[in-house]
Amino acid sequence: MYVAVMTYLGYGLVTLFGYFRDFLRAVGLEKCHVAQERSEQKDFVPLYQDFENFYNRNLYMRVRDNWNRPICSLPGPVFDLMERISDDYNWTFRFTGRTIPNVINVGSYNYLGFAENNVDFLKTVAEKTQEYGVGVCSTRQEIANLSLHQELEQLVANFLGLESSMAFGMGFATNSMNIPALVGKGCLILSDELNHTSLILGARLSGATIRVFKHNNMHSLEKMLREAICSGQPRTHRPWKKILIMVEGIYSMEGSVVRLPEILALKKKYKAYLYLDEAHSIGAVGPTGRGVTELFNVNAADVDIMMGTFTKSFGACGGYIAGKKVLVDYIRRHSHSAIYATAMSPPVTEQVIRAMKCIMGQDGGDEGIRRVRQLAENTRYFRARLKEMGFIIYGNDDSPVVPILLYMPAKVVAFAREMLRRKIGVVVVGFPATPITEARARFCLSAAHTRPMLDQSNLLILRYLLIHLLNAINSRLSHYHTV
């Protein structure tokens, strides 16, 4: 309760000061740097006066230096940042011309370390770039259906143990553009409350009815399934054309793993369909990196639509839909992303192929499986160390996404700045991306991280916590002394 009250109080104070600053800007005592209407448009409906703009202007702007930091090197286990400073409280930035070298990268989704510039590993990518070029400038259904794309799709299907798959050039669009091809008016989508924005957008674009169940709560999901079967569609009470359950393998803000066996049991019991987004789990969990179906030892064919991306574990970009051949063939004909979007570029396609072959051992070595095991070892070690130190962390023990709860907005900002000062690049997340009382720092582990890197991160986190506690104690002692 103390933490919740102090968190709300912190946001309340900043909001009050924000309204005061807006008053100063309105009377001309302070300059406003953000977009606003001209005085000649004062009689028109305002474009920039909603609370979202107020939040950006008065809350986000104070801490904007913690995001969008420009990187000037390979985003591997360590990277270099371009140093920038602000002379007007984060309204604008200027570069100093210096770099911050060798910052430990615990913010990228480089789970298996395939974001690399090793010449030997990237030899095939360079060869395919010389052969095919770097762009295709057309869609798959016109003149950009390369043999590389077909090879990749067959490889993905073999990797997942499914009949067929289709690859797309953008992971976000794989969800947002394909879900409308699968469901529409008269269909029901049951979506986990913590699903990614791409899933939410795809569901809204589909025109289907959307109902949200509590995160990983099987009682909530079964209650909605039972009600959907019994009541049918609103007003008419006709049976739903389709009922689609949408979940993720690993939830990127929580680090939690889907309760797949229980969801599969409910799906079969109520004759629903299951859409599984494995953006953060494919390659990252399971003994051989085949995702949550392998982690729970369930049959991948029981999942109707398997979706995943190449942007995390494979060090590239794009996504895929996999399942039965009849499903994939239907998507090829009806998906907007399949018909209108530009196909994956050849070097990106080859990068995914070489990474997947490496994981499967088809390159003749064991480097891929070594990386999968190293990621699992790093995940268990890092989580165990944080728990020993007494931090409150979220997520499953197998998840390489490790959120550390910081709660208060001022602590979030201080944490990010202190970590960068000590050459640790970490992502911090607060409201509205998280509940207002659950702001956090999110660590993403990689097989490329060494034990000294993880130890250094842990030590610096603990050091920051001790400094924070000592400052709080000194402040309390000073208060008592004054009294």
Side-chain angles (χ1 to χ4, degrees):
M1 182 61 69
Y2 167 78
V3 172
V5 169
M6 295 303 295
T7 301
Y8 278 110
L9 182 61
Y11 276 107
L13 287 173
V14 176
T15 302
L16 287 176
F17 274 99
Y19 281 114
F20 178 66
R21 299 286 292 275
D22 274 356
F23 169 75
L24 294 180
R25 295 180 187 118
V27 298
L29 295 177
E30 184 175 333
K31 183 179 179 181
C32 184
H33 298 269
V34 296
Q36 54 186 324
E37 294 88 356
R38 294 177 298 181
S39 59
E40 299 85 39
Q41 296 176 301
K42 62 180 180 180
D43 296 327
F44 289 83
V45 176
L47 298 176
Y48 305 108
Q49 296 303 314
D50 57 358
F51 184 76
E52 181 180 350
N53 190 258
F54 172 87
Y55 186 92
N56 287 335
R57 185 169 61 247
N58 294 298
L59 283 79
Y60 172 70
M61 198 61 63
R62 300 168 66 94
V63 297
R64 195 161 69 103
D65 58 300
N66 293 297
W67 291 273
N68 307 316
R69 291 169 175 159
I71 299 169
C72 54
S73 71
L74 173 81
V78 296
F79 54 37
D80 299 338
L81 293 176
M82 298 175 67
E83 186 181 65
R84 60 178 184 174
I85 59 175
S86 177
D87 301 315
D88 52 7
Y89 305 102
N90 293 341
W91 288 103
T92 61
F93 293 98
R94 63 180 176 86
F95 295 109
T96 64
R98 296 187 296 269
T99 62
I100 306 173
N102 299 322
V103 178
I104 297 177
N105 180 10
V106 285
S108 295
Y109 303 130
N110 186 24
Y111 295 134
L112 295 180
F114 282 116
E116 57 194 352
N117 55 5
N118 188 306
V119 176
D120 294 331
F121 290 160
L122 297 175
K123 182 179 179 181
T124 60
V125 179
E127 292 172 351
K128 297 301 180 183
T129 303
Q130 291 179 338
E131 180 180 354
Y132 290 94
V134 295
V136 289
C137 306
S138 184
T139 67
R140 293 283 299 277
Q141 293 197 1
E142 292 175 336
I143 56 171
N145 189 32
L146 305 181
S147 58
L148 273 179
H149 298 139
Q150 295 176 322
E151 180 184 356
L152 172 61
E153 290 171 350
Q154 186 59 53
L155 193 64
V156 170
N158 294 341
F159 182 67
L160 299 174
L162 298 173
E163 292 180 8
S164 183
S165 75
M166 182 171 184
F168 303 88
M170 182 181 179
F172 189 97
T174 305
N175 278 331
S176 59
M177 293 291 101
N178 284 310
I179 293 173
L182 298 171
V183 291
K185 189 176 181 180
C187 299
L188 174 65
I189 293 176
L190 299 180
S191 176
D192 190 290
E193 65 179 344
L194 296 183
N195 273 343
H196 189 261
T197 304
S198 59
L199 290 168
I200 297 170
L201 178 60
R204 289 175 177 173
L205 290 174
S206 71
T209 301
I210 305 169
R211 293 175 185 167
V212 179
F213 63 92
K214 295 179 181 178
H215 176 56
N216 260 350
N217 189 316
M218 297 303 102
H219 176 74
S220 174
L221 175 59
E222 183 169 16
K223 182 180 178 181
M224 289 187 178
L225 282 167
R226 191 184 300 116
E227 181 182 345
I229 297 296
C230 295
S231 302
Q233 299 183 43
R235 294 189 298 276
T236 64
H237 299 291
R238 293 177 180 174
W240 295 100
K241 295 178 182 179
K242 297 174 191 171
I243 299 177
L244 180 66
I245 304 169
M246 289 199 321
V247 294
E248 294 186 50
I250 291 179
Y251 292 84
S252 59
M253 284 296 172
E254 305 296 313
S256 53
V257 176
V258 65
R259 296 171 61 181
L260 187 59
E262 294 97 319
I263 289 179
L264 284 174
L266 290 177
K267 163 193 124 59
K268 294 175 181 178
K269 179 179 179 180
Y270 292 98
K271 304 296 188 293
Y273 296 95
L274 177 59
Y275 187 106
L276 175 61
D277 179 344
E278 287 218 84
H280 289 270
S281 54
I282 192 66
V285 296
T288 60
R290 284 170 168 79
V292 290
T293 55
E294 185 181 49
L295 180 67
F296 290 108
N297 195 27
V298 300
N299 187 359
D302 290 339
V303 180
D304 301 286
I305 304 105
M306 293 274 282
M307 177 269 173
T309 64
F310 305 125
T311 56
K312 281 83 176 176
S313 296
F314 303 98
C317 64
Y320 64 84
I321 293 284
K324 294 182 178 179
K325 188 176 186 302
V326 62
L327 166 75
V328 176
D329 289 344
Y330 177 85
I331 289 175
R332 290 184 195 279
R333 297 191 302 271
H334 294 86
S335 166
H336 285 79
S337 187
I339 298 171
Y340 299 109
T342 302
M344 291 177 68
S345 70
V348 170
T349 307
E350 178 59 28
Q351 160 66 13
V352 180
I353 291 173
R354 76 102 182 172
M356 195 166 289
K357 285 183 176 179
C358 182
I359 297 172
M360 298 170 71
Q362 292 186 9
D363 61 349
D366 60 352
E367 174 64 16
I369 197 67
R370 185 200 66 78
R371 294 190 186 205
V372 172
R373 291 170 180 168
Q374 185 64 52
L375 175 63
E377 181 181 333
N378 287 351
T379 297
R380 288 191 294 268
Y381 175 77
F382 193 75
R383 283 182 169 273
R385 290 283 289 152
L386 290 178
K387 288 178 182 178
E388 289 173 7
M389 294 177 181
F391 286 98
I392 299 174
I393 62 174
Y394 276 179
N396 189 281
D397 288 341
D398 295 301
S399 170
V401 180
V402 186
I404 298 179
L405 273 293
L406 299 175
Y407 301 107
M408 301 177 191
K411 283 176 62 179
V412 172
V413 178
F415 185 87
R417 290 171 180 163
E418 289 299 319
M419 290 298 105
L420 181 59
R421 194 171 288 120
R422 293 164 172 81
K423 292 194 173 184
I424 304 288
V426 64
V427 172
V428 290
V429 191
F431 181 81
T434 67
I436 196 168
T437 57
E438 295 185 15
R440 65 198 67 175
R442 186 185 63 184
F443 290 79
C444 294
L445 302 181
S446 170
H449 286 140
T450 62
R451 186 62 62 88
M453 291 180 186
L454 299 180
D455 287 336
Q456 183 178 349
S457 299
N458 277 312
L459 276 173
L460 291 176
I461 296 168
L462 181 59
R463 182 180 176 187
Y464 167 78
L465 177 65
L466 291 174
I467 291 172
H468 178 77
L469 289 174
L470 288 173
N471 288 338
I473 292 170
N474 289 334
S475 176
R476 186 63 58 87
L477 290 175
S478 299
H479 170 73
Y480 288 148
H481 178 71
T482 303
V483 173

